[in-house]
Amino acid sequence: MPGMENEGSNLSRAEEIKNQANEAFKAHKYGQAIDLYTQAIELNSQNAVYWANRSLAHTKLEEYGSAIQDATKAIEVDPKYSKGYYRRGAAYLAMGKFKEALKDFQQVKRICPNDPDATKKLKECEKAVMKLKFEEAISVPESERRSVADSIDYRAIKVEPQYLGAKIEGDVVTLDFVKKMMDDFKNQKCLHKRYAFQIVLQMREMLQALPSLVDINVPDGCLLTVCGDVHGQFYDLINIFELNGLPSEENPYLFNGDFVDRGSFSVEVILTLFAFKCMCPSAIYLARGNHESKSMNKIYGFEGEVRSKLSETFVELFAEVFCYLPLAHVINQKVFVVHGGLFSVDGVKLSDIRAIDRFCEPPEEGLMCELLWSDPQPYPGRGPSKRGVGLSFGADVTRRFLQDNNLDLIVRSHEVKDEGYEIEHDGKLITVFSAPNYCDQMGNKGAFIRFEAPDLKPNIVTFSAVPHPDVKPMAYANNFLRMFQ
C-alpha cells in the first residue's frame, strides 16, 4: 500500500532527524536542536520522546513556558512516559513553582517506584515545598515589615587588625578603594562586612531617591556604554572594563539588569557595580532585571552565595535594595532601555512607567512584570511567552510604542545571543547580552553598545569569555535545581 510505505518512510526519516537533534543538543546548540526536533515532530507527532527532548532543549534556553507545553504534549501522547512528567517537573521547578513540580515528581515515582533517582528528587521536592509552606506561615505582612537597614550600624563593626583588604576611609568611596577591592576579588579574597554594609546601605539611599524611569542626558560628543546581563560572571565584567575603560563621569555605563544569579561570582559583581555608583552616581546607571528578585535569587544561586560569603542579614538587605532599582532608562529622549520588553496593551506612555510603584517584589502580571520579562518575536502582534511569564511582542508593537513616545530605538537584554547581540524589528530593537560563554557552556560571545551623542548611532562591540577560577556556575544554587543541570 503506497500510503503505508509513505508513513513508514516518514517515521524512519523522523528518527534520523531526532538523532541529528540529539547530536546538536550534545554540542550545546540548543536552538538548532529545537528546530530539528520540530521537524521530527512534524513527521511523527505521536512519539512522546520527540516532545520530551524538545522540552529539555527549551529548558536549556530558559524557555520554561515552552518546555512545560512540550512536556504536557509528551504526557498526552503517552500518559505512562515518565520522562514527560520529569521534564515538566524540572521546568516548573526552574520557575519556582515547587507545588506543581511536586505533583509531577510524585507521578514519576508512581510510574517508576524502584528508580532511586526519582525517589531522591521527590524527597528534595517535598523538602522544598515544606520549607516554602513554613516561610509563608512565619512571614510578616508587607505593611508591617520593617526595613532590615534599621537594624544595621556598620560603624560599630570592628575591622580586625589582620584584615589587609580594601578599606573605605570615612564616608567616601574612592576610585583607589574600588580598584583595590576589584584586585582582591580577582584573587578570590572577600571584602570586610563593614565595608560591604557601607556600600549597600549607601546604595539603598541613592536608589530610593530615583524615579522608576530615569532620564539620562549624554552631552554632544560624549559617550554612554550599555551592557546587558552579566549574571555573576565577575571576570568577564573586569574584561569589559579593560576593553572599554573603568566607569567614570567621562565614561559612563548603563548596566541593564540581571547582575546576579547563575554565575558564582555574583557578590563580587554586585559590590563592584554598587561601589562605582557610590563613588560617582553619574558614572554608572543600574536597571532592575527579572533576576533582581527574591524568587529567582532563592533558586539560581545569589541567595546561597550571599549567605556563604557575607551573612543572612545581607540576603534581606540585597532583596530590599533590589526593589529600589529603577525599571527603565531613556537616553536623550530617544533610546528606551529596559531589561525585558514591551506590554500586553498598546498606548503605554513613558509617564505610565514613571508612575509605577516599583518598591516591591515583581508581580506576576502588569506593566512592571512585562518590563522585566517580555521578549520580542519575529511575527506581528503578541503571543504567549516562551518563558511562561510576560509575553512575546512583534515589530508592529515595537513601532507603535516608539511612535507613541517619540522614540527612535529600544535596547533590551534578557536573552542569550550567539554573537552577544541581535538586531530585530526592522532595526528598531536591539538585544544586548554581556555574559559570554553563559553558564560556561553556551559558547556565545558577549557584547556592549557604545552610543555617542548627538546622533546616538549604536556602535556594537563584541568580546569573548575570559578564564575564571575553577568554581562552576550555580555552585551556590538551590540543591534541588542543581540536580537537573
Side-chain angles (χ1 to χ4, degrees):
M1 297 280 288
M4 287 177 77
E5 275 170 34
N6 199 15
E7 192 180 322
S9 74
N10 274 358
L11 295 181
S12 61
R13 178 80 188 115
E15 198 58 20
E16 266 172 49
I17 293 171
K18 185 261 293 188
N19 292 334
Q20 289 170 22
N22 289 353
E23 289 308 309
F25 184 93
K26 278 182 207 152
H28 300 158
K29 295 179 177 168
Y30 303 119
Q32 194 184 329
I34 287 168
D35 292 343
L36 289 163
Y37 288 132
T38 303
Q39 289 172 39
I41 287 165
E42 281 163 1
L43 291 166
N44 176 14
S45 64
Q46 292 308 298
N47 189 320
V49 175
Y50 301 171
W51 292 101
N53 285 10
R54 192 171 76 175
S55 172
L56 182 60
H58 279 302
T59 295
K60 289 290 185 185
L61 289 179
E62 302 177 20
E63 297 171 353
Y64 303 123
S66 299
I68 287 165
Q69 283 177 338
D70 278 357
T72 302
K73 193 71 193 165
I75 292 162
E76 282 168 18
V77 170
D78 181 358
K80 291 195 164 59
Y81 182 52
S82 65
K83 267 201 180 137
Y85 298 99
Y86 189 91
R87 298 274 179 258
R88 189 169 69 182
Y92 275 134
L93 182 67
M95 292 177 75
K97 298 193 169 183
F98 293 111
K99 291 169 190 171
E100 289 88 341
L102 181 59
K103 286 178 195 161
D104 279 330
F105 292 121
Q106 284 167 338
Q107 192 60 31
V108 172
K109 184 82 172 87
R110 276 196 279 275
I111 296 168
C112 317
N114 301 318
D115 179 342
D117 188 52
T119 307
K120 187 179 167 192
K121 289 198 167 69
L122 178 60
K123 275 203 178 114
E124 282 293 332
C125 199
E126 284 168 344
K127 265 199 312 211
V129 171
M130 287 301 290
K131 189 166 180 273
L132 199 68
K133 283 184 176 160
F134 176 70
E135 283 169 2
E136 282 171 5
I138 62 164
S139 70
V140 179
E142 200 75 45
S143 55
E144 295 168 27
R145 213 167 283 168
R146 286 184 61 217
S147 167
V148 66
D150 298 342
S151 64
I152 302 162
D153 177 8
Y154 70 84
R155 287 185 176 86
I157 300 171
K158 276 207 162 29
V159 179
E160 304 77 12
Q162 60 268 37
Y163 173 74
L164 301 173
K167 294 178 180 174
I168 302 171
E169 304 297 340
D171 292 336
V172 181
V173 174
T174 62
L175 181 57
D176 284 345
F177 163 79
V178 183
K179 283 179 175 172
K180 167 81 170 116
M181 180 183 76
M182 283 161 62
D183 275 343
D184 288 348
F185 285 161
K186 263 194 265 190
N187 296 314
Q188 292 186 272
K189 292 177 182 161
C190 291
L191 179 66
H192 197 283
K193 288 189 183 72
R194 179 201 157 104
Y195 306 120
F197 272 130
Q198 189 170 344
I199 289 165
V200 182
L201 289 168
Q202 207 168 318
M203 195 67 203
R204 175 181 177 271
E205 216 165 294
M206 209 179 285
L207 292 174
Q208 207 171 2
L210 294 175
S212 291
L213 174 68
V214 173
D215 287 289
I216 302 175
N217 179 44
V218 183
D220 287 2
C222 296
L223 283 165
L224 173 75
T225 301
V226 179
C227 296
D229 306 33
V230 180
H231 274 302
Q233 296 186 195
F234 175 72
Y235 295 83
D236 294 306
L237 174 67
I238 296 296
N239 187 37
I240 291 172
F241 294 151
E242 279 170 10
L243 295 170
N244 195 57
L246 291 173
S248 67
E249 204 152 2
E250 298 71 41
N251 188 34
Y253 283 79
L254 163 51
F255 281 86
N256 197 26
D258 282 12
F259 320 121
V260 301
D261 279 340
R262 294 283 187 183
S264 294
F265 303 96
S266 293
V267 165
E268 289 80 356
V269 166
I270 198 69
L271 287 175
T272 299
L273 296 178
F274 279 9
F276 272 117
K277 182 85 178 161
C278 292
M279 177 196 88
C280 176
S282 58
I284 196 164
Y285 298 89
L286 303 171
R288 193 174 193 174
N290 61 304
H291 275 267
E292 277 69 56
S293 70
K294 265 189 206 171
S295 59
M296 293 288 111
N297 297 162
K298 209 177 269 303
I299 301 171
Y300 291 102
F302 184 58
E303 191 177 293
E305 188 184 336
V306 171
R307 221 173 252 130
S308 166
K309 293 177 182 175
L310 292 165
S311 71
E312 187 66 48
T313 308
F314 274 98
V315 171
E316 274 186 73
L317 185 60
F318 276 118
E320 187 178 313
V321 174
F322 286 167
C323 292
Y324 295 172
L325 285 161
L327 302 176
H329 292 78
V330 175
I331 308 167
N332 288 9
Q333 302 178 324
K334 286 296 166 199
V335 180
F336 180 68
V337 188
V338 66
H339 181 71
L342 296 181
F343 310 102
S344 51
V345 291
D346 280 337
V348 175
K349 291 287 207 290
L350 295 181
S351 54
D352 299 317
I353 299 169
R354 271 192 196 93
I356 295 171
D357 179 5
R358 71 184 189 278
F359 302 105
C360 60
E361 288 301 316
E364 291 198 11
E365 56 186 21
L367 297 189
M368 181 169 164
C369 168
E370 289 160 3
L371 283 165
L372 299 180
W373 280 96
S374 294
D375 294 293
Q377 64 182 25
Y379 31 89
R382 294 177 171 90
S385 164
K386 55 196 173 188
R387 297 172 190 271
V389 189
L391 68 140
S392 299
F393 59 96
D396 53 333
V397 176
T398 294
R399 191 177 60 251
R400 284 195 297 272
F401 175 78
L402 291 172
Q403 281 170 352
D404 286 349
N405 290 287
N406 195 24
L407 296 161
D408 295 342
L409 178 69
I410 293 173
V411 174
R412 43 88 62 181
S413 304
H414 194 39
E415 280 182 288
V416 62
K417 297 291 178 187
D418 286 347
E419 292 303 311
Y421 73 97
E422 188 173 358
I423 301 171
E424 296 170 86
H425 293 182
D426 311 315
K428 294 292 184 191
L429 182 141
I430 304 176
T431 297
V432 60
F433 191 84
S434 305
N437 194 23
Y438 179 46
C439 289
D440 284 2
Q441 62 164 312
M442 298 300 277
N444 60 294
K445 285 182 180 152
F448 52 81
I449 309 175
R450 289 159 63 91
F451 287 99
E452 186 173 353
D455 65 353
L456 297 183
K457 199 170 145 303
N459 173 17
I460 300 171
V461 180
T462 65
F463 58 95
S464 297
V466 294
H468 63 75
D470 187 21
V471 183
K472 298 278 178 285
M474 307 277 280
Y476 302 92
N478 183 301
N479 269 343
F480 189 28
L481 193 70
R482 277 212 306 276
M483 297 165 111
F484 294 88
Q485 290 304 300

